[in-house]
């Protein structure tokens, strides 16, 4: 590889259409004769539908049809994509998730009726005329309370609200024995607060049916078009896949919330055929709070034991994870295989046990949100080790360094086998913390902090060291863990006769810069100009198959599939070149976009070989024409990025307001293709992590009513809430994929949240404040400081 492009901060080629307003999002799609849909949603968290009268709505001029749950009772519900068994081996409880509810609503926002009209405003007005006689029932929103005796049941067919219980780690008796031998035990009860994803583009879908070709088309703001087609065809509608085209045009952010198959996708697809017209549904922002899958929402008790020297001897955890009223696509994987398997963290903890209770509540579904289980695991570990350091009067950095896993590269020695199933690929953890402390000026800061306290200023520093599992795959592993789909990726590299290259990838960008980074990889491998490479994605008719983008898998899995196809192109190209140059393939080197005969000045360019492949007049005997290859890449392991985030925070004693003074991030994401894009990913993740720590929090009242259903009540981070981020990187390549990449999309959101909370608690520790529930709002902080 020439590395003319790889490792360079190439400006994003896709940004030209975005900054000029010529991007094409789903809501921009307007088809001839298109109708508009609006969904009437339950105002109650738990209520039985005694009767529903749609006649007044149907009588309104412009209303085409009103559907209710009765119209779709024979349609399968939206499936969960990951099966997890109870501890005793029985299958998890998987209630039907209907397209519209016919019997009762199970969360505020549950869809009750679909109004289709010639105009979206007519549809919305008509929905107000639908009369429903409700029998309002008790509701429960907290997962721990939902498991109490006598709690209102979400699904009447089950004896309680437990979706399943699950455990991972060492045998419980071994962990209990380790904890019994501990010199010191730190115990912490805490909640990882529920958050809403809030991508800048709300969800939007357009369904279309062509009666001539008997083919459906769904335009959808999704992170994975092929998975939506698979789930909708195989599980919900029973339509042959070749009769369905799913297109994900430009997508304005997702953060995990656009991975899933939502009921609205199936509704517009069915209604489009029924009415013979294209149908569009687009969520508004308040509707998104009620219907988009939320993230986080764990209630945990954790205990960490230490010997006299401060070495960790054991970790024991009990968690109640909220999955809402229904099982979303990946909801069951988040608290288990994306969370429980990361509880080793960066530490040599010899005994670990997690008891996980996954619970139904009368709330919207909870699924993957940027980081998906990894932030919850990191928050748990980094909060409890920070508290332990204070309790044992040890320096928090030194306690971490003392317990770090020693360096390993995964090549000359095997990966690190954790106590929670996974084997880390490669890691050298101390340098990221040491570099972060160096950037901070740790010793100088401690003096500054002591001086500040003498002057009445509350200044604190918080450290967070994280590891995450990315490149979500391999299929054999995730299949054994309950995944109902493979998690490989595909790529087709098509060389045109003129030497220009079209790449068809199953990964789907929603802001990651695929059209730039993938082109950088291909251009460097082939030694051709970047502008000669075109990246195509997001259309199930154009791309053979793909598993989409989430879990920081795009380069590690999707990029590796592209490299495999490029290597096939080069292998065949070498045969054509050798024939043209009258030499052996072994006599050739490929560099600078040309095959060269070793020790001579004879060469042939990539463009000449490409033309020969399609005009095979002088051509190797038995070799078929063309230069077009496809590959599927299924990795042998996850990738494991890691890093250290350090926050300096100041707390105003009079108001409780927290100000972030510095935010330092040192990340090791393996090899980096485009540093500028990686920096952007880190910055965005840091903003979201800070948002969860200080500002964001979905709140339900005791009746299951969402009380943070707009930006008047749900606080998002703004520019003036954030400092200028200070970033640096270390590089420990992944040993098992051809690019050596590990993934960077979620890192910022994983390490930053506990760093911020640790900083605030560090500032307040001398005032007797040990822990606070997120978000650390001024009121919450002030009350803690002034608690009598």
């Amino acid at each position: 590889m020439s590395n003319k492009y790889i490792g360079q901060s190439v400006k994003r080629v896709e940004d030209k259409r975005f900054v000029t307003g010529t991007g094409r999002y789903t809501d921009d799609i307007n088809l001839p004769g298109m109708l508009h849909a609006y969904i009437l949603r339950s105002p109650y968290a738990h209520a039985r539908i005694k009767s529903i009268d749609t006649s007044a709505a149907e009588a309104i001029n412009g209303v085409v049809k009103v559907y209710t749950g009765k119209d779709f009772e024979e349609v399968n519900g939206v499936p969960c994509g990951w099966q997890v068994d109870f501890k005793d081996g029985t299958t998890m409880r998987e209630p039907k998730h209907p397209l519209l509810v016919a019997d009762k609503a199970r969360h505020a926002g549950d869809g009750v009726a679909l109004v289709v009209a010639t105009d979206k405003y007519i549809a919305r007005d008509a929905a107000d005329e639908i009369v429903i006689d409700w029998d309002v029932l008790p509701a429960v929103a907290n997962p721990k309370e939902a498991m109490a005796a006598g709690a209102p049941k979400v699904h009447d067919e089950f004896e309680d609200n437990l979706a399943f219980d699950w455990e991972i780690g060492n045998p419980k008796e071994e962990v209990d024995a380790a904890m019994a031998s501990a010199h010191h035990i730190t115990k912490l009860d805490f909640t990882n607060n529920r958050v809403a994803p809030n991508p800048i583009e709300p969800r939007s879908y357009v369904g279309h049916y062509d009666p001539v070709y008997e083919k459906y088309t769904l335009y959808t703001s999704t992170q994975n078009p092929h998975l939506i087609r698979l789930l909708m065809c195989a599980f919900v509608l029973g339509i042959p896949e070749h009769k369905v085209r799913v297109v994900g045009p430009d997508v304005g952010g997702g953060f995990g919330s656009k991975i899933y198959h939502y009921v609205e996708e199936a509704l517009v697809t069915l209604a489009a055929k029924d009415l013979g017209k294209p149908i569009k549904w687009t969520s508004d922002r308040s509707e998104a709070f009620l219907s988009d899958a939320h993230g986080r929402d764990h209630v945990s008790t954790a205990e960490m034991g230490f010997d006299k020297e401060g070495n960790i001897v054991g970790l024991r955890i009990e968690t109640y994870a909220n999955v809402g009223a229904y099982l979303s696509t990946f909801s069951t994987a988040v608290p288990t295989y994306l969370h429980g398997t990361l509880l080793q963290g960066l530490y040599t903890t010899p005994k670990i046990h997690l008891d996980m209770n996954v619970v139904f509540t009368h709330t919207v579904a909870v699924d993957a949100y940027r980081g998906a289980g990894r932030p919850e695991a990191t928050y748990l570990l980094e909060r409890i080790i920070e508290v332990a350091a204070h309790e044992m009067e040890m320096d928090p950095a030194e306690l971490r360094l003392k317990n770090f896993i020693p360096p390993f590269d995964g090549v000359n020695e095997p990966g690190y086998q954790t106590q929670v199933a996974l084997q880390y690929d490669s890691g050298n953890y101390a340098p990221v913390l040491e570099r972060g402390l160096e950037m901070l000026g740790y010793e100088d800061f401690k003096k500054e902090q002591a001086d500040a306290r003498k002057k009445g200023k509350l200044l604190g520093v918080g450290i967070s060291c994280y590891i995450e599992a990315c490149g979500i795959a391999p299929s054999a592993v995730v299949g054994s863990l309950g995944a109902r789909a493979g998690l490989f990726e595909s790529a087709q590299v098509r060389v045109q006769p003129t030497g220009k290259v079209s790449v068809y990838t199953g990964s789907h960008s929603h802001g990651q810069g695929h059209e730039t980074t993938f082109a950088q990889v291909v251009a460097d491998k082939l030694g051709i100009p970047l502008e000669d490479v075109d990246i195509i994605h997001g259309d199930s008719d154009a791309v053979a198959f793909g598993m989409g983008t989430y879990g920081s898998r795009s380069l590690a899995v999707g990029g590796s599939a592209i490299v495999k196809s490029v290597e096939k192109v080069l292998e065949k190209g070498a045969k054509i070149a050798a024939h043209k140059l009258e030499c052996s393939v072994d006599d050739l080197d490929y560099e600078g976009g040309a095959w060269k005969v070793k020790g001579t000045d004879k060469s042939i360019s990539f463009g000449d070989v490409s033309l020969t492949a399609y005009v095979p007049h002088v051509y190797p005997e038995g070799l078929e024409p063309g230069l077009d290859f496809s590959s599927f890449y299924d990795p042998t392991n996850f990738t494991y990025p890691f890093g250290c985030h350090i926050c300096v925070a100041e707390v105003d004693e009079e108001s409780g307001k927290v100000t972030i003074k510095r935010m330092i991030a040192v990340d090791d994401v393996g090899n980096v293709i485009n540093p500028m894009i990686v920096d952007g990913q880190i910055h965005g993740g840091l903003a979201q992590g800070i948002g969860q720590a200080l500002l964001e929090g979905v709140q339900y009242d005791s009746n299951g009513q969402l009380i943070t259903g707009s930006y008047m009540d749900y606080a998002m981070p703004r520019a003036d809430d954030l400092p200028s981020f200070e970033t640096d990187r270390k590089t420990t390549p992944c040993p098992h994929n051809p690019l050596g990449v590990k993934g960077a999309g979620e890192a910022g959101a994983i390490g930053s949240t506990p760093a911020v909370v640790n900083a605030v608690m560090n500032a307040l520790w001398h005032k007797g404040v040990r822990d606070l529930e997120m978000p650390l709002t001024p009121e919450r902080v002030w009350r803690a400081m002034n608690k009598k």
Side-chain angles (χ1 to χ4, degrees):
M1 237 187 288
S2 65
N3 285 0
K4 178 181 177 181
Y5 297 111
I6 287 180
Q8 304 304 311
S9 291
V10 176
K11 289 185 178 180
R12 294 178 13 141
V13 298
E14 52 268 74
D15 282 351
K16 182 176 181 180
R17 68 178 185 272
F18 295 144
V19 300
T20 57
T22 54
R24 189 170 186 253
Y25 299 89
T26 302
D27 194 54
D28 294 325
I29 295 169
N30 294 297
L31 303 177
M34 188 169 71
L35 303 174
H36 297 264
Y38 179 80
I39 295 175
L40 178 66
R41 299 184 182 276
S42 170
Y44 304 108
H46 193 201
R48 199 173 307 280
I49 300 173
K50 297 169 69 176
S51 66
I52 180 167
D53 183 356
T54 63
S55 57
E58 291 169 322
I60 293 175
N61 186 37
V63 172
V64 178
K65 189 166 184 176
V66 177
Y67 297 90
T68 68
K70 296 288 186 183
D71 295 303
F72 301 111
E73 282 188 308
E74 301 304 314
V75 178
N76 293 327
V78 174
C80 178
W82 203 292
Q83 179 181 310
V84 182
D85 293 336
F86 279 83
K87 290 179 184 177
D88 64 8
T90 56
T91 303
M92 68 184 187
R93 295 166 174 168
E94 189 174 358
K96 181 179 180 179
H97 186 178
L99 304 191
L100 295 171
V101 294
D103 55 349
K104 68 174 183 177
R106 294 172 178 85
H107 68 87
D110 221 351
V112 179
L114 178 75
V115 182
V116 181
T118 54
D119 179 279
K120 64 181 179 181
Y121 302 106
I122 294 174
R124 186 166 192 153
D125 289 343
D128 291 338
E129 301 302 315
I130 297 173
V131 179
I132 303 175
D133 185 6
W134 294 99
D135 177 17
V136 181
L137 303 169
V140 62
N142 180 284
K144 199 165 184 179
E145 293 173 6
M147 287 305 299
K153 289 199 294 184
V154 180
H155 299 282
D156 295 333
E157 64 266 35
F158 304 137
E159 62 185 53
D160 57 31
N161 289 320
L162 186 66
F164 60 89
D165 59 7
W166 183 81
E167 62 183 346
I168 194 170
N170 306 98
K172 195 169 184 178
E173 58 273 15
E174 292 183 12
V175 179
D176 291 343
M179 298 298 284
S181 72
H183 175 72
H184 176 86
I185 293 178
T186 292
K187 183 177 180 180
L188 199 59
D189 298 308
F190 60 90
T191 298
N192 200 299
N193 51 319
R194 179 187 281 235
V195 290
N198 287 305
I200 195 169
E201 176 210 21
R203 289 189 295 121
S204 181
Y205 311 121
V206 176
H208 175 259
Y209 179 72
D210 186 332
V212 175
Y213 293 96
E214 298 181 334
K215 186 157 186 174
Y216 300 80
T217 299
L218 173 68
Y219 299 92
T220 168
S221 52
T222 184
Q223 295 175 220
N224 46 3
H226 290 88
L227 184 61
I228 300 307
R229 185 181 69 170
L230 174 64
L231 293 175
M232 192 164 65
C233 292
F235 294 95
V236 183
L237 305 183
I239 304 169
E241 279 184 272
H242 69 287
K243 292 294 185 180
V244 178
R245 178 190 180 199
V246 175
V247 181
D250 289 330
V251 178
F255 312 121
S257 70
K258 294 175 182 174
I259 300 172
Y260 329 119
H261 180 26
Y262 286 95
V263 296
E264 295 88 355
E265 290 170 307
L267 283 170
V268 299
T269 303
L270 282 174
K273 181 182 180 183
D274 182 50
L275 299 178
K277 295 285 185 69
I279 296 176
K280 178 191 288 185
W281 173 85
T282 299
S283 171
D284 64 29
R285 188 59 68 181
S286 292
E287 190 175 17
F289 278 105
L290 287 166
S291 61
D292 288 6
H294 293 163
R296 315 292 191 249
D297 206 350
H298 285 193
V299 178
S300 299
T301 297
E303 297 173 280
M304 183 174 276
F306 298 84
D307 65 17
K308 289 182 180 180
E309 286 73 41
N311 298 300
I312 302 171
V313 299
L315 177 65
R316 183 167 55 200
I317 307 158
E318 182 181 42
T319 292
Y320 292 82
N322 195 340
V323 287
Y326 305 104
L327 298 182
S328 181
T329 305
F330 284 150
S331 61
T332 53
V334 173
T336 53
Y337 301 112
L338 297 177
H339 168 72
T341 58
L342 271 298
L343 288 169
Q344 187 81 51
L346 302 182
Y347 307 114
T348 56
T349 310
K351 300 292 179 184
I352 302 171
H353 186 86
L354 166 68
D355 273 315
M356 174 62 72
N357 303 283
V358 177
V359 184
F360 293 116
T361 63
H362 294 101
T363 64
V364 72
V366 179
D367 208 316
Y369 169 69
R370 197 170 192 170
R374 285 73 56 87
E376 295 91 319
T378 299
Y379 187 80
L380 183 153
L381 291 170
E382 293 307 293
R383 279 297 295 130
I384 199 166
I385 200 166
E386 185 81 9
V387 172
H390 286 292
E391 290 179 347
M392 295 188 293
E393 298 182 346
M394 295 183 66
D395 182 280
E398 290 300 323
L399 183 59
R400 287 176 169 87
L401 288 166
K402 173 187 269 296
N403 285 281
F404 272 169
I405 296 165
F408 60 101
D409 63 15
V411 176
N412 298 305
E413 63 273 314
Y416 182 83
Q417 180 59 52
T418 73
Q419 305 299 317
V420 281
L422 299 181
Q423 185 179 79
Y424 296 163
D425 55 355
S426 60
N428 188 10
Y429 306 131
V432 292
L433 174 53
E434 291 165 349
R435 176 58 180 145
L437 296 175
E438 179 186 6
M439 291 170 68
L440 172 64
Y442 190 44
E443 296 304 321
D444 290 339
F445 172 81
K446 287 191 281 189
K447 295 174 185 175
E448 179 187 349
Q449 183 183 39
D451 291 341
R453 284 182 180 172
K454 292 175 185 176
K455 300 173 184 176
K457 287 177 64 177
L458 301 176
L459 200 62
V461 62
I463 298 170
S464 170
C465 297
Y466 74 90
I467 190 168
E468 55 167 329
C470 293
I472 300 301
S475 297
V477 173
V478 298
S480 69
L481 300 177
R484 288 170 169 168
L487 288 179
F488 51 82
E489 196 48 86
S490 74
Q492 178 185 8
V493 174
R494 178 180 299 165
V495 181
Q496 311 293 351
T498 56
K500 312 305 181 186
V501 178
S502 298
V503 179
Y504 299 81
T505 172
S507 298
H508 186 40
S509 178
H510 49 281
Q512 290 85 355
H514 290 175
E515 293 170 42
T516 305
T517 51
F518 287 165
Q520 286 178 260
V521 170
V522 173
D524 255 13
K525 288 286 282 183
L526 296 179
I528 61 177
L530 188 73
E531 54 269 24
D532 285 358
V533 183
D534 186 29
I535 307 297
I536 299 99
H537 58 94
D539 186 338
S540 66
D541 271 10
V543 180
F545 203 79
M547 296 309 298
T549 295
Y550 41 87
S552 302
R553 71 192 304 270
S554 296
L555 269 173
V557 188
S560 294
I562 291 171
V563 170
K564 285 187 67 176
S565 291
V566 169
E567 288 172 346
K568 292 176 183 177
V569 166
L570 290 173
E571 182 181 359
K572 183 175 181 180
K575 295 176 182 177
I576 299 171
H579 186 79
K580 294 279 286 186
L581 295 169
E582 298 179 332
C583 68
S584 166
V585 169
D586 295 335
D587 294 331
L588 294 175
D589 284 329
Y590 186 77
E591 58 181 79
W595 283 270
K596 300 177 181 179
V597 181
K598 299 173 186 177
T600 75
D601 60 356
K602 295 174 63 178
S603 67
I604 185 171
S605 71
F606 178 78
D608 286 340
V609 166
S610 302
L611 183 62
T612 302
Y614 291 94
V615 186
H617 297 162
V618 180
Y619 204 69
E621 186 177 350
L623 189 66
E624 64 184 43
L627 206 51
D628 186 340
F629 287 97
S630 295
S631 300
F632 285 76
Y633 178 74
D634 202 345
T636 58
N637 192 5
F638 300 102
T639 60
Y640 298 91
F642 57 91
C644 171
H645 294 175
I646 299 176
C647 175
V648 175
E650 184 176 344
V651 180
D652 182 76
E653 192 160 10
E654 291 187 1
S655 68
K657 178 177 172 55
V658 176
T659 301
I660 307 294
K661 308 296 286 186
R662 296 181 68 183
M663 193 75 207
I664 297 166
V666 183
D667 301 285
D668 191 325
V669 298
N671 292 334
V672 171
I673 304 300
N674 188 313
M676 180 178 65
I677 288 177
V678 169
D679 286 344
Q681 292 280 2
I682 298 297
H683 285 200
L686 291 173
Q688 286 181 284
I690 292 169
Q692 182 183 4
L694 298 182
L695 298 161
E696 299 185 53
V698 171
Q699 299 289 329
Y700 287 91
D701 68 12
S702 59
N703 297 313
Q705 283 294 329
L706 180 67
I707 57 177
T708 51
S710 77
Y711 288 145
M712 295 295 289
D713 302 296
Y714 188 95
M716 293 286 287
R718 297 174 296 183
D720 61 354
D721 295 312
L722 308 170
S724 292
F725 299 135
E726 304 167 58
T727 62
D728 199 1
R729 272 188 288 276
K730 297 292 182 180
T731 303
T732 308
C734 173
H736 62 74
N737 69 54
L739 292 169
V741 296
K742 291 197 172 193
E746 297 161 300
I750 293 171
S752 57
T753 307
V756 172
V757 176
N758 285 342
V760 176
M761 295 302 101
N762 179 254
L764 302 180
W765 187 269
H766 68 290
K767 287 184 166 291
V769 182
R770 185 173 183 266
D771 189 47
L772 281 177
E773 184 175 332
M774 296 185 290
L776 305 185
T777 61
E779 178 188 3
R780 190 167 281 169
V781 174
W782 185 90
R783 288 186 181 278
M785 287 191 294
N786 292 278
K787 189 175 182 180
K788 302 300 183 183

